[in-house]
Amino acid sequence: MNTDSPDNSMSGQSVLLVDDEKMVLEVGKAILQRLGNAVITAASGEEALDRFGQHRESIGCVVLDLTMPGMDGLATFKQLRKLSPKLPIIIASGLAIDQVTVQFGNMQPSSVIQKPYQVADLSAKIKGILKEG
């Protein structure tokens, strides 16, 4: 499979990848970079908000872990949506999709991906979200 196709890039937009597990950040960053995306990482909700503030204009999509210590994914999601209501946010979780979506009430994420995520699944979700926008 050729993962370096220009079709997979987001036209200069970065992905903000947020996860408290260092290994997930490293592997996720490598996958996204192989798909042609610039990646900004954050290891916490607080750091994600800081990174978003620094790189707001270049971030086209967020992949956000649901379960993190401190500011969890749900709280981070709400803050990011306050800052940018149309920002595409993919929630990553080991929980079943319906267990995730019920937590978000009427403010649903753009998509949910189950961890551990596969290259094809992550690529398809990001490409699909960015085509919608």
Side-chain angles (χ1 to χ4, degrees):
M1 177 172 116
N2 179 3
T3 58
D4 297 324
S5 166
D7 278 356
N8 291 337
S9 74
M10 297 187 321
S11 306
Q13 293 183 310
S14 299
V15 175
L16 174 58
L17 178 62
V18 187
D19 202 297
D20 63 309
E21 294 180 50
K22 185 178 179 182
M23 181 63 81
V24 173
L25 280 180
E26 290 173 359
V27 171
K29 182 176 181 176
I31 289 169
L32 290 166
Q33 287 176 330
R34 278 187 42 206
L35 294 171
N37 302 306
V39 182
I40 299 165
T41 60
S44 68
E46 296 87 354
E47 188 179 356
L49 295 175
D50 183 53
R51 294 272 194 264
F52 183 74
Q54 293 171 2
H55 303 281
R56 183 180 191 142
E57 297 305 315
S58 67
I59 294 173
C61 179
V62 178
V63 179
L64 176 62
D65 183 25
L66 181 61
T67 308
M68 298 183 291
M71 180 181 271
D72 67 6
L74 181 57
T76 305
F77 172 86
K78 289 178 179 178
Q79 289 300 313
L80 287 169
R81 279 287 163 89
K82 280 183 186 176
L83 295 169
S84 182
K86 295 185 180 189
L87 178 68
I89 302 173
I90 300 169
I91 298 297
S93 176
L95 299 173
I97 291 173
D98 60 333
Q99 290 178 306
V100 173
T101 57
V102 73
Q103 296 182 44
F104 288 83
N106 63 355
M107 188 187 285
Q108 288 293 307
S110 305
S111 189
V112 177
I113 189 167
Q114 287 192 285
K115 290 168 68 175
Y117 34 79
Q118 302 298 312
V119 175
D121 293 339
L122 187 58
S123 175
K125 287 197 183 285
I126 290 173
K127 284 169 56 176
I129 283 170
L130 292 172
K131 282 182 183 177
E132 289 173 11

